[in-house]
Amino acid sequence: MAQAGYRDALGAHARRLAQSSIEDLNRRQPGRAQQLALRIGPLYANFARQSYDQPALDALWAYGQSLELPQAFRRLFDGAPVNLTEARPALHTALRSDLGRGPVAAAARAQVLAAEQRLAAIVAELEASGITDIVSIGIGGSDLGPRLVCDALKPLQGARFAVHFVSNIDGMAIERVLAGLDPARTAGILISKSFTTQETLFNGAILQRWLGDAGRLYAVSADVQRPQQQFGIAAERVLPMWDWVGGRYSLWSAVGLPIALALGMDAWRQLHEGAALVDAHVLQAPLQQNLPFLHGLTEIWNRNACGHASHAVMCYDARLALLPAYLQQLVMESLGKQVGVDGRPVCGDTVPVWWGGAGTDVQHSFFQALHQGTQMICGEFIGCVRGDDPHPLSHQALLANLLAQTQSLANGQPSADLQRNYPGGRPTTTVLLDALTPYSLGALIAMYEHSVYVQSLAWGINAFDQFGVELGKQVASALLPAVRDRSVTVDDPVTAELLAQLHR
Ligand code: F6P
């Protein structure tokens, strides 16, 4: 059957199920709650509150089978040029596991291990230096991953270094960070795969001036010359990354230097081991027991069969508050495409809007729309079985809220008073970590990376390029002279009027 045929079959199932209730699916099929749950070590995910029944799921698996997912993952791990539009591999898996076969993966792995040794040496050097604060400058993939991991795993007490992140080009962002710091006890890291990113170069220059001549500046880049040329950073203070690592897949590389500094090399290794566990799983687990496969195909079900255009991630652990922002880049920069790898327009919709926040805060902001809005918003609820704070009653209440929300969103509660009617039928996936550790967080992030790849295969798009972000950057550079100098004119009439307002 052609791909369109599988999609049509899924659509027919979704129409058949349109009026059925998720609660009924679970009540009519004893054991469904267990059958639709998968575990990889500390990471558990339950899909029983999705709207598919067994025949729909069979059709979804048939579709998954047709995508030849195991072969596609093998190509990914082995370093085939899966980033087809840029003719290069996407070997982020080689940053944390040794599962690739063949010369390309082996060469990448050797580079990774050598860079890791240099990274560990820089961590040791800084530990011995009297430095207390690190300012990490980068944006997008050169910021969101390290920022998430450092924030999620920050110890309550006894932090090794205080790591501060600056990404935005808004000068107030860096001013706010530097205001509380002492240049004599602060080191800077400039992280940029390309080392051409405007935000990072601007902020890097500000930081360098603030640090002064004796300042300690390090860099991470795929272009190891530029940090030296543009900032005079000595080669031994520049860590490499490579064009075969996408920015949003790069936290496992030296881009994660802030992680190693903030949490130490042991935590760094455990993070990698957690990801490696999922790497092994995605390669080895049979189709229907493969968690990233089911996660990715469930996204396809919701987007293409059911037509849901919005996907909210709710983290019922305040330490994961930055996860939605991280996933926004991972998922939407990877999958926000309308042209397939064959150069033709894709058939049907691709990525929904990914967004979210931390429970329970979000219950008091946008949950009204989740429960009773006209738009169906799919949800992903993430919690930790074990809390690490000294307030077990609070943790129990947090988890009760997570359970309550997924149950209420799915099952609803009928009322003759329509203002008070809860329609239910809102699909959600519940993800539970045994506890929030470097290992479990590594596993969680890798699971999302692999789910994204599954979705890209279903949509026939390249998950590893991002041409869509380039136009805005080019236009911003072209407009900068007109913002700086009122005598510079521009062609677009609306931009011209807005510039006139800026120059009033
Ligand atoms: O603008 C998008 C982007 O290219 C991301 O893909 C990337 O993670 C980010 O900018 C930062 O890029 P760089 O690491 O080259 O500074």
Side-chain angles (χ1 to χ4, degrees), residues 1 8 70 117 134 137 157-158 178 186 189 202 205-206 247 263 296 300 351 363 366 377 501:
M1 198 192 314
D8 290 348
Q117 277 190 4
I134 307 287
I137 291 184
Q157 279 158 355
L178 298 183
T186 302
I189 313 172
F202 271 58
I206 295 169
L263 308 173
I300 300 298
V351 76
Q363 292 176 197
F366 59 73
I377 298 167
Q501 293 301 319

Side-chain angles (χ1 to χ4, degrees), residues 139-142 192-194 197 247-248 329 333 466 469 473:
I139 197 163
S142 295
S192 175
K193 179 179 173 184
S194 61
T197 302
R248 54 193 172 274
Q329 189 205 13
E333 197 167 78
Q466 60 281 324
V469 300
K473 293 183 194 177

Side-chain angles (χ1 to χ4, degrees), residues 15-35:
R15 285 190 294 282
R16 173 179 60 76
L17 288 163
Q19 299 313 318
S20 7
S21 106
I22 294 175
E23 181 176 14
D24 281 354
L25 289 177
N26 285 310
R27 293 212 185 275
R28 280 204 316 262
Q29 187 183 327
R32 185 173 186 271
Q34 290 74 34
Q35 287 151 17

Side-chain angles (χ1 to χ4, degrees), residues 7-8 10 63 296-310 335-340 345-354 375 454-461:
R7 297 268 197 95
D8 290 348
L10 289 174
Y63 184 33
L297 290 171
T298 299
E299 298 299 318
I300 300 298
W301 165 259
N302 278 317
R303 185 74 189 104
N304 298 119
C306 305
H308 303 327
S310 185
L335 301 174
K337 318 274 165 76
Q338 51 179 248
V339 175
V346 294
C347 142
D349 286 311
T350 60
V351 76
V353 175
W354 275 60
Q375 172 160 203
V454 170
Q455 293 167 67
S456 76
L457 295 165
W459 287 324
I461 57 181

Side-chain angles (χ1 to χ4, degrees), residues 38-45 73 77 92-93 96-97 148-149 152-153 251-252 267-282 290-293 295 320 323 326-327 330 380 382 431-452:
L38 292 172
R39 175 177 283 284
I40 315 173
L43 169 64
Y44 165 92
F73 271 87
F77 277 71
H92 44 283
T93 49
R96 69 248 180 156
S97 54
L148 161 69
V149 175
L153 299 174
L251 75 88
W252 323 98
W268 159 276
R269 289 193 189 98
Q270 286 159 27
L271 184 81
H272 284 66
E273 281 164 20
L277 177 78
V278 176
D279 289 343
H281 170 95
V282 83
N290 199 303
L291 175 42
F293 288 5
H295 190 277
L320 291 174
L323 184 65
Y326 172 82
L327 290 178
L330 176 66
E380 186 125 343
I382 304 172
V431 176
L432 296 174
L433 302 178
D434 286 351
L436 187 60
T437 63
Y439 189 66
S440 67
L441 185 56
L444 181 71
I445 296 171
M447 194 284 290
Y448 281 112
E449 287 178 347
H450 292 325
S451 169
V452 163

Side-chain angles (χ1 to χ4, degrees), residues 111-160:
Q111 289 176 297
V112 167
L113 294 177
E116 214 169 88
Q117 277 190 4
R118 291 195 48 218
L119 176 136
I122 286 180
V123 172
E125 175 183 307
L126 277 164
E127 279 170 348
S129 70
I131 292 288
T132 54
D133 290 81
I134 307 287
V135 176
S136 175
I137 291 184
I139 197 163
S142 295
D143 169 69
L144 291 163
R147 194 191 281 254
L148 161 69
V149 175
C150 289
D151 192 58
L153 299 174
K154 182 171 60 186
L156 281 174
Q157 279 158 355
R160 303 152 49 85

Side-chain angles (χ1 to χ4, degrees), residues 359-425:
T360 59
D361 293 280
V362 290
Q363 292 176 197
H364 303 271
S365 59
F366 59 73
F367 266 44
Q368 167 65 36
L370 259 56
H371 285 282
Q372 289 187 317
T374 52
Q375 172 160 203
M376 187 68 89
I377 298 167
C378 303
E380 186 125 343
F381 282 71
I382 304 172
C384 298
V385 177
R386 195 193 80 204
D388 294 310
D389 59 79
H391 307 290
L393 296 180
S394 299
H395 192 68
Q396 288 155 10
L398 179 68
L399 294 179
N401 273 278
L402 184 161
L403 297 179
Q405 291 298 334
T406 53
Q407 181 180 308
S408 306
L409 286 164
N411 299 357
Q413 180 174 280
S415 168
D417 173 358
L418 291 184
Q419 303 290 1
R420 290 172 173 77
N421 180 53
Y422 295 86

